[in-house]
Amino acid sequence: MKKIAVALIALMSLAGTAQAQTVKDLLESLRVKWNTPTEPFKMIGNVYYVGTNGLASYLITSPQGHILVDTVMPEATSQIKANIEKLGFKLTDIKYLVNTHAHIDHTGGLAEMKQASGAQMVAGEADKPLLEGGYYPGAQEDDALKFPPVKVDRTVREGDKVTAGDVTLTARETPGHSPGCTSWEFAVKDGDATRSVLIFCSGTVALNRLVPNPTYSGIVADYRKTFARAKDMKVDVLLAPHPEMYKMAEKRAKLSDGAPNPFVNPGEFNDYAATLEKAFEDALAKQTAAAQEKKG
């Protein structure tokens, strides 16, 4: 996965049709894992995993209605629908569709899910034009990265809340990976304990250009803002759009009645964010050096 991400970064420096075609080919190879089905399951409290084997989607339930965080690739949206129903929940009980960031692998099914559920669409303010345009920032003409546009009913900034019944998600602005990259913080009951959960948007560089022609203006400052904010965040349960980011499969295998929940791991988020910050600074240095070399 890391090797492919690095390759994609390099490909963004190429031009024209060759770039788009190559990115398309690499995305096709990722689709194999991303679209592989997996059984839905209860993670902790009222939080359920309803995504695919390679892409996460979370259903957070309440008696008064549910919140669905992120979807998957457009062609795999039917898996989310089936997983929700397999767990005994109804699509029409979803009150809010909430997005972490406007990239095809996490937005591909939002339009379809909105139509099926009648839910309101909520996203970070700076990602609204991307969601409603169905494109990747800085690569509007790249068909490989386009997704079905979805109307955003409400935008959020730092500290804004989305509530369904007794569930309240708080928006935490963590930009960089996308301009409106939003992490979602909330509490869940774990036996007699209350745990803080964070669905972290992302902090990887991935396809983004940092210099000299950035994916969007202010991207470097945004990443650094996110990493600074992460240092002060206290998180018991880390979740994310890609299951490998928090070792989902490994933790899922350890789930057992009566045993401590393996998804509870205080400090994991801060350690993970620190590794992302180093990877970002390394990528910035490499992109800067490459730009200087090209400039001569």
Side-chain angles (χ1 to χ4, degrees):
M1 185 71 179
K2 290 181 180 178
K3 291 181 179 178
I4 292 175
V6 171
L8 284 169
I9 293 168
L11 286 167
M12 290 300 290
S13 66
L14 300 178
T17 306
Q19 172 198 325
Q21 183 61 44
T22 310
V23 170
K24 179 180 178 181
D25 289 345
L26 286 170
L27 286 175
E28 285 301 319
S29 71
L30 286 170
R31 271 184 162 90
V32 175
K33 175 177 172 56
W34 282 353
N35 290 345
T36 298
T38 192
E39 286 295 308
F41 70 102
K42 179 177 179 177
M43 306 186 86
I44 184 170
N46 58 333
V47 183
Y48 297 84
Y49 189 92
V50 294
T52 64
N53 184 63
L55 294 173
S57 180
Y58 304 99
L59 187 71
I60 306 165
T61 65
S62 84
Q64 294 78 32
H66 317 315
I67 300 174
L68 183 71
V69 182
D70 283 352
T71 55
V72 293
M73 295 295 283
E75 65 274 13
T77 307
S78 59
Q79 292 187 43
I80 294 180
K81 293 178 177 178
N83 284 344
I84 290 171
E85 292 172 347
K86 189 177 290 186
L87 290 168
F89 301 109
K90 296 179 181 178
L91 298 179
T92 51
D93 285 337
I94 299 172
K95 302 305 180 186
Y96 296 100
L97 298 174
V98 172
N99 187 225
T100 56
H101 61 286
H103 292 169
I104 185 173
D105 43 338
H106 312 295
T107 63
L110 288 175
E112 185 176 339
M113 288 300 300
K114 184 176 183 181
Q115 183 176 19
S117 65
Q120 291 189 40
M121 179 70 233
V122 183
E125 184 175 272
D127 273 6
K128 179 179 178 178
L130 309 180
L131 290 164
E132 294 191 337
Y135 62 86
Y136 192 97
Q140 288 90 329
E141 304 307 316
D142 194 335
D143 289 341
L145 299 172
K146 290 182 179 179
F147 53 87
V150 59
K151 183 183 183 300
V152 177
D153 299 297
R154 179 188 167 196
T155 61
V156 293
R157 297 294 304 269
E158 173 69 19
D160 288 341
K161 300 182 186 303
V162 177
T163 299
D166 58 359
V167 174
T168 296
L169 273 58
T170 300
R172 304 303 307 270
E173 290 185 334
T174 50
H177 190 70
S178 79
C181 209
T182 303
S183 299
W184 295 94
E185 192 174 50
F186 58 102
V188 298
K189 293 295 290 183
D190 176 31
D192 295 330
T194 298
R195 309 292 188 184
S196 61
V197 181
L198 182 72
I199 302 178
F200 180 53
C201 174
S202 185
T204 64
V205 174
L207 284 170
N208 287 328
R209 301 182 306 274
L210 305 176
V211 290
N213 178 32
T215 294
Y216 70 89
S217 179
I219 190 171
V220 170
D222 274 356
Y223 271 108
R224 288 179 171 155
K225 172 184 174 182
T226 290
F227 297 133
R229 173 163 284 155
K231 290 178 172 65
D232 295 327
M233 296 179 75
K234 307 300 180 186
V235 177
D236 295 320
V237 178
L238 169 63
L239 303 177
H242 291 272
E244 66 270 16
M245 288 178 168
Y246 60 100
K247 301 178 182 177
M248 187 271 279
E250 179 182 317
K251 293 173 183 175
R252 177 179 185 173
K254 295 178 181 177
L255 278 173
S256 177
D257 291 340
N261 190 301
F263 288 98
V264 178
N265 189 359
E268 179 183 16
F269 168 67
N270 306 95
D271 292 343
Y272 177 56
T275 66
L276 291 175
E277 183 175 17
K278 183 181 184 307
F280 162 77
E281 294 295 348
D282 288 346
L284 178 59
K286 288 178 182 177
Q287 290 193 23
T288 300
Q292 291 174 343
E293 183 179 346
K294 183 178 180 181
K295 192 175 181 180

